[in-house]
Amino acid sequence: MADLSRRDVFKIAGVGAALGALHMSSTACATKTAGRMLPPAKGNRVVIIGGGWAGMTAAKHLKKELGDKVDVVLIEKRKIFMSCPISNVWLGGLVDMEFLMHDFHTPAAKYGYTFINATVTDIDRDRRRVYTTDGYVDYDYLILAPGIRYNYDAWFKGDKKMAQICATHFPSAFIPGSEHIALKRKVDNFEEGTFILTVPPPPHRCPPAPYERAAMIAHVFKKNEVNGKLIILDPKGQIKPKGEGFGRAYQELYLGLVEYVPNAKIKEVDPVNKVIKTTAGDFKFDDANINPPHQAGDLAWKAGLVNPKTGWCDVNPLTLQSKLDPRVFVAGDASSVKGFPKSGDMAHNHTQKMVVKALVALLKGKDPLEAVQAPTNTCYSMVNGDPKEAIVINVLYDIDRKKKAPVKKKVNVVNDRSTQLARSTFEWAKALYRDMFS
Ligand SMILES: Cc1cc2nc3c(=O)[nH]c(=O)nc-3n(C[C@H](O)[C@H](O)[C@H](O)COP(=O)(O)OP(=O)(O)OC[C@H]3O[C@@H](n4cnc5c(N)ncnc54)[C@H](O)[C@@H]3O)c2cc1C
């Protein structure tokens, strides 16, 4: 399975063509003059922006809870859903790309919400109106779930050309699509020398993802007998979370292939001469996966809902309503809640148990704070490809009603990698895909 056969190459090429459309707007230009897209709703209308992990969960569960009592409109710019979770496993050659791909139409038809394939270009919060490339739609409540954007400016300080060179030649692949395919080609074709992977500074999307990615790249290098090594440059002092499990995998499975460098805060990236300067020294590379800092997605900035000091949206920690506009819920990675990691599992959990519960209560005239439930977060990481073995972290939260905030109740980490946990990894993903897409 891990070998990339000719058939697989064609499969990737085929999906690659489909992915070409992934980041495209459905029409070329944004306009505020295009007309109203939908007739006014009979009852309350909830518009959801972003058909990712948070948005897909919100659309389904709102309709499940309220049926015809709510008009739900989901607006998404991508033509097809591609999952970031399990994409590292795909990078390691352990699953086909089909495993990551899902359609937006089946759940919209099944649960009775309106799916609009368009790019949102602006939000007028005073008029409660969302503008898209295809026209506008009005809302009573908005769920904003645009995910993240890359902050190359932190390194390149307005030098757009250098930022572009870095993004094009050393794509991050923390936003799904073409970048993932480019990264896979790099990893599969790497023959010798130094390959660098940089860990973004926290808080970033999926804290364990860079370390899992390193393990999967090392698995490919080992299989391909690469004459070289993978260097992980981490701004933190140690691997976190699941540090012991990742550390043991690097030592026991990939000795000599993986070098972990802590306290390597990036000072300068030179994508032309292939040098990264850090607080732990300067590193030359032959190829790389360079991961810039993350911030809330563009649209959250456009809506004026981002705290510029942090780069994320401040929200009520129980309902995830924006602190600047209670008509807007910010779900998924764009929001900032103390103790919540930016993960697909958490996006799914807090959207279903907090955002949707609070909104349903509001629409029924009840107290949203009383309605929210405590989320959990489970995150598997594949660390070995042959045999497939994984480690896991699971966090249980409680709701502190006095403090009006979620608190961590219990953290379970399994650092002993096992084939059983690898099986659970796939079961976890299948269960969540089933919940959102079928
Ligand atoms: C390599 C990698 C591995 C990961 N592994 C795991 C894992 O194993 N487990 C786990 O729980 N999490 C994992 N994650 C994290 C997970 O992918 C994210 O936390 C999750 O996707 C966040 O969901 P979201 O809805 O906030 O954002 P997204 O899923 O990114 O969705 C945002 C959506 O908004 C759309 N959008 C943005 N702007 C507009 C606009 N203007 N108009 C219309 N649509 C718009 C985007 O197209 C996108 O579909 C991983 C991430 C990466 C990068």
Side-chain angles (χ1 to χ4, degrees):
M1 188 95 134
D3 286 335
L4 201 66
S5 65
R6 238 174 88 79
R7 196 169 143 260
D8 285 334
V9 170
F10 283 120
K11 252 190 207 166
I12 289 174
V15 179
L19 282 169
L22 212 72
H23 288 296
M24 273 172 48
S25 312
S26 59
T27 54
C29 68
T31 171
K32 283 195 178 184
T33 52
R36 189 188 289 276
M37 298 165 81
L38 296 171
K42 289 197 188 97
N44 281 298
R45 173 173 286 158
V46 178
V47 171
I48 301 165
I49 303 176
W53 285 69
M56 293 305 295
T57 306
K60 170 186 167 174
H61 287 281
L62 265 177
K63 284 306 279 185
K64 265 197 94 175
E65 296 246 7
L66 290 172
D68 291 342
K69 294 192 187 77
V70 66
D71 178 32
V72 174
V73 179
L74 173 71
I75 310 176
E76 166 58 49
K77 65 181 175 183
R78 296 189 281 178
K79 299 274 181 219
I80 186 169
F81 179 95
M82 178 186 169
S83 174
C84 261
I86 310 296
S87 67
N88 285 331
V89 181
W90 166 76
L91 185 68
L94 309 183
V95 284
D96 290 334
M97 179 159 280
E98 278 88 334
F99 192 82
L100 310 178
M101 310 301 285
H102 301 275
D103 80 278
F104 295 111
H105 296 79
T106 302
K110 180 166 172 187
Y111 295 102
Y113 58 85
T114 304
F115 168 63
I116 294 178
N117 189 207
T119 299
V120 175
T121 54
D122 213 347
I123 300 168
D124 184 336
R125 290 194 285 111
D126 293 334
R127 293 176 86 171
R128 291 193 218 138
R129 180 165 287 181
V130 168
Y131 292 93
T132 82
T133 40
D134 289 355
Y136 66 83
V137 57
D138 294 332
Y139 64 84
D140 295 292
Y141 287 94
L142 183 67
I143 299 180
L144 184 60
I148 60 158
R149 75 177 187 188
Y150 301 133
N151 181 17
Y152 283 105
D153 224 30
W155 295 340
F156 296 107
K157 317 278 179 219
D159 186 340
K160 292 207 182 311
K161 188 160 179 228
M162 272 302 183
Q164 197 56 46
I165 291 172
C166 188
T168 306
H169 291 264
F170 307 104
S172 172
F174 265 73
I175 296 174
S178 173
E179 295 172 33
H180 280 76
I181 295 174
L183 177 61
K184 185 158 177 58
R185 290 226 159 95
K186 279 175 181 288
V187 171
D188 287 340
N189 294 332
F190 194 72
E191 287 177 356
E192 60 178 351
T194 299
F195 194 105
I196 282 184
L197 181 154
T198 68
V199 178
H204 65 82
R205 166 168 281 185
C206 199
Y211 308 113
E212 182 192 51
R213 179 172 285 175
M216 289 291 94
I217 292 175
H219 163 69
V220 175
F221 285 3
K222 187 174 165 185
K223 181 171 65 74
N224 292 351
E225 296 178 359
V226 164
N227 177 21
K229 64 180 171 185
L230 170 71
I231 299 181
I232 306 167
L233 298 180
D234 194 343
K236 300 192 294 296
Q238 57 183 3
I239 299 173
K240 214 173 157 202
K242 295 178 269 191
E244 188 195 325
F246 283 117
R248 273 168 39 197
Y250 299 156
Q251 277 288 317
E252 292 164 11
L253 303 170
Y254 312 117
L255 192 64
L257 257 182
V258 173
E259 183 182 330
Y260 174 73
V261 183
N263 300 311
K265 291 195 182 100
I266 290 183
K267 295 195 292 191
E268 197 185 316
V269 175
D270 180 345
V272 176
N273 295 303
K274 298 189 183 173
V275 181
I276 298 177
K277 296 186 177 170
T278 79
T279 47
D282 299 353
F283 297 83
K284 265 196 88 55
F285 60 87
D286 297 291
D287 212 342
N289 172 222
I290 303 182
N291 296 299
H294 298 169
Q295 295 180 328
D298 267 331
L299 208 58
W301 293 83
K302 222 169 198 179
L305 295 176
V306 178
N307 178 346
K309 286 196 186 128
T310 63
W312 305 102
C313 299
D314 292 335
V315 294
N316 176 315
L318 286 189
T319 63
L320 281 91
Q321 282 162 290
S322 163
K323 286 196 172 160
L324 300 176
D325 185 344
R327 288 263 169 189
V328 182
F329 292 75
V330 185
D333 287 356
S335 62
S336 169
V337 176
K338 192 166 171 244
F340 282 7
K342 298 185 184 302
S343 78
D345 197 62
M346 175 48 86
H348 181 269
N349 254 271
H350 74 214
T351 301
Q352 183 180 349
K353 295 176 182 164
M354 304 174 97
V355 174
V356 168
K357 293 286 178 199
L359 185 45
V360 168
L362 263 179
L363 294 174
K364 287 183 172 171
K366 295 185 178 162
D367 182 356
L369 292 180
E370 288 301 317
V372 299
Q373 298 170 355
T376 59
N377 180 64
T378 303
C379 194
Y380 293 92
S381 299
M382 197 70 76
V383 290
N384 192 8
D386 188 17
K388 297 184 193 87
E389 291 178 316
I391 55 179
V392 70
I393 183 169
N394 169 255
V395 184
L396 303 176
Y397 296 82
D398 238 343
I399 302 285
D400 186 328
R401 303 271 166 198
K402 266 195 198 146
K403 284 190 188 154
K404 296 186 177 162
V407 284
K408 278 187 194 172
K409 189 164 87 174
K410 201 169 177 201
V411 180
N412 300 305
V413 184
V414 183
N415 284 309
D416 292 329
R417 61 182 182 273
S418 70
T419 52
Q420 173 56 44
L421 287 178
R423 280 195 292 277
S424 303
T425 305
F426 293 113
E427 289 314 314
W428 167 84
K430 283 185 202 162
L432 288 190
Y433 295 151
R434 218 169 18 246
D435 188 67
M436 293 184 288
F437 294 101
S438 62

